[in-house]
Amino acid sequence: MRVFVTGGAGYVGSHCVKHLVAHGHEVVVYDNLVYGHRAAVPGNVRFVKGDLGDAPTLRAALTTGPFDAVMHFAAFAYVGESVTEPLKYYRNNVANTLGLLEAMHVVGVRRLVFSSTCATYGVPDRVPITEFTTQNPINPYGRSKLMVEWMLQDSARAWGLGACALRYFNASGAAADGSIGEDHKPETHLIPIVLQVALGQRPHVGVFGTDYDTPDGTCVRDYIHVDDLASAHRLAIEAIRPGEARFYNVGTGKGNSVKEVIDAAARVTGRTIPSDPNPRRPGDPPVLVADGDKIRRELGWQPAYTDIEQTIASAWRWHEAHPNGYEA
Ligand code: UFG
C-alpha cells in the first residue's frame, strides 16, 4: 500500500514508518517537526514538512498519491498541558483532524488508522479495560481523542471511511536495532526519566503517589512496546474496509507498578536509581491495564514484548547510545 503518515517523525509514528517500510509498504511522512525529529525518518522515505493545520499544504501533499491509506499520529500528547491549554489541544487534535478527514474525503482516501489512547477511558470502573468499558475521559487530551473517535464513526457511516482507532496504553521501548527511540522535550514519561537517572542526567526519579490502592501503593500501567504498536497499525491498515469503524485496545494485558519499573530498570542497567516519594500527580488513574483480547481475536495481533525488562532493555540501548536523543 501507499501510506500517508502524519506525525511520522514522532516517537510512535517513526517506529510505525520503519515497520511499514520493512513490510513492503510505500510511505510518505508529513510532519511539522515541532516535536518530531527529521533523523527519525529513514532517508529513503519521502518527507514533507508541513503542519496539519495548513490545509493547502496538506491537500497538496495528499494529492501526490494516490494513497491507499492514512496513518494519523500527529497530535499534542501532554496530559498536564492539555488541562492548562485546552484550546491548543482541541485545535490541533480535533480541528486539525477534522481538516485531515475533509482532505481525505475530497481526495478520495478511504482508509485511516488513528492514534487513540487509554486516556479516553478516564478512571475505569474496572480493570482490565475492554473496548466496552465506559469512555469517560478526565482531561482535555483524552476528550480530544474521544471526539475524533466519534468523527470516525460518523464518517464511516456517512461517506464510507474505513477507520481503525487504536487505543494505546503506555507506549514504551525503542527499535530492536537501536536506530530510533524515544526523545521528548520536555520528557514527562516514566521509563525515559528513569533511564536518564541511570545515566546520571537527573539525580533521582520522583514517584508520583505511594498511597494508591495498589499492591505496592504506586500506579500500575500497561507498558506496550512501540514496535508492537507498529505491528498493530500494520495489521489494522491491512484489515480495515471502507464504511466500517473499528476500535481496539493495544496493550500487553500485564500491569507494572512505578516501583516495579524502577526496580526493573536498575536490574537492566546495573545502575542505582534513586527515587523519592512525591505527591500524587493530578489526573493519574491508579490502574490502567488493557484487555487485549479483541485485537488478538480479530486481527491476529500478538505483542512480541511481554516482559517489562525486555522493553526497558530496548529503551536502554537507545538512551545509552543517544544520551541527548536525536541531538548529535
Ligand atoms: N510517573 C512517576 N514519575 C515520573 C513520571 C511518571 O511516578 O517522573 C508515574 C505516573 O504518575 C504514572 C506512571 O509513572 O503513574 C506512568 O506515567 P507516564 O507519564 O509515563 O504515562 P501516563 O500513564 O501518565 O501517560 C500515558 C500516555 C498518555 C496517556 C496516558 C493515559 O503517555 O498519552 O497514558 O493515562 F494519556
Side-chain angles (χ1 to χ4, degrees):
M1 284 192 208
R2 294 201 73 206
V3 188
F4 186 83
V5 181
T6 76
Y11 172 45
V12 182
S14 60
H15 286 78
C16 286
V17 166
K18 184 171 157 62
H19 182 87
L20 286 175
V21 170
H23 283 80
H25 294 292
E26 195 185 325
V27 173
V28 172
V29 168
Y30 186 87
D31 197 300
N32 63 7
L33 297 182
V34 168
Y35 289 117
H37 305 277
R38 183 67 183 85
V41 181
N44 57 352
V45 165
R46 194 158 88 78
F47 178 81
V48 180
K49 186 171 179 212
D51 194 281
L52 203 60
D54 176 355
T57 305
L58 179 66
R59 281 191 194 195
L62 256 186
T63 44
T64 61
F67 291 101
D68 300 295
V70 171
M71 279 194 189
H72 177 34
F73 298 95
F76 293 144
Y78 289 107
V79 172
E81 184 187 58
S82 81
V83 175
T84 53
E85 296 188 61
L87 301 185
K88 180 174 168 182
Y89 279 70
Y90 291 123
R91 162 68 57 198
N92 194 36
N93 296 4
V94 182
N96 290 347
T97 300
L98 175 62
L100 173 66
L101 289 170
E102 285 171 341
M104 288 175 65
H105 190 197
V106 169
V107 173
V109 185
R110 291 282 183 273
R111 281 196 195 87
L112 176 77
V113 180
F114 169 65
S115 307
S116 190
T117 168
C118 61
T120 58
Y121 294 109
V123 182
D125 38 30
R126 72 179 70 162
V127 283
I129 298 170
T130 76
E131 288 76 1
F132 299 104
T133 300
T134 308
Q135 287 175 293
N136 192 11
I138 55 170
N139 51 58
Y141 169 68
R143 282 194 272 273
S144 73
K145 292 286 182 173
L146 182 55
M147 286 177 190
V148 173
E149 288 197 5
W150 292 336
M151 289 200 267
L152 302 185
Q153 235 161 1
D154 294 336
S155 294
R157 263 187 232 115
W159 55 273
L161 177 72
C164 184
L166 298 178
R167 297 176 186 151
Y168 311 163
F169 282 66
N170 285 56
S172 45
D177 65 5
S179 59
I180 52 176
E182 187 165 10
D183 180 8
H184 296 114
K185 290 194 177 64
E187 189 54 79
T188 61
H189 296 98
L190 179 64
I191 291 176
I193 285 177
V194 165
L195 295 180
Q196 286 169 359
V197 175
L199 282 171
Q201 295 175 329
R202 296 176 187 250
H204 60 262
V205 53
V207 177
F208 298 146
T210 52
D211 58 351
Y212 283 100
D213 186 15
T214 58
D216 66 19
T218 67
C219 284
V220 172
R221 294 288 181 271
D222 182 335
Y223 294 90
I224 175 74
H225 196 278
V226 68
D227 279 344
D228 287 327
L229 286 177
S231 65
H233 281 74
R234 179 178 54 83
L235 293 171
I237 211 125
E238 291 170 356
I240 50 180
R241 300 285 169 261
E244 64 176 23
R246 300 181 181 205
F247 303 89
Y248 296 111
N249 290 338
V250 197
T252 64
K254 219 172 119 181
N256 287 104
S257 72
V258 173
K259 272 192 184 149
E260 285 172 342
V261 167
I262 296 170
D263 291 347
R267 288 193 298 275
V268 166
T269 61
R271 312 258 173 112
T272 305
I273 300 178
S275 65
D276 262 359
N278 274 218
R280 292 181 179 197
R281 187 171 69 176
D284 271 344
V287 181
L288 291 173
V289 176
D291 178 328
D293 186 51
K294 186 170 181 240
I295 189 166
R296 286 168 209 246
R297 243 184 316 109
E298 295 188 9
L299 299 186
W301 174 83
Q302 284 286 349
Y305 291 80
T306 51
D307 180 76
I308 192 69
E309 280 193 27
Q310 265 184 305
T311 297
I312 293 174
S314 75
W316 178 236
R317 275 193 296 277
W318 160 259
H319 284 278
E320 214 184 4
H322 305 86
N324 300 313
Y326 287 99
E327 274 170 37

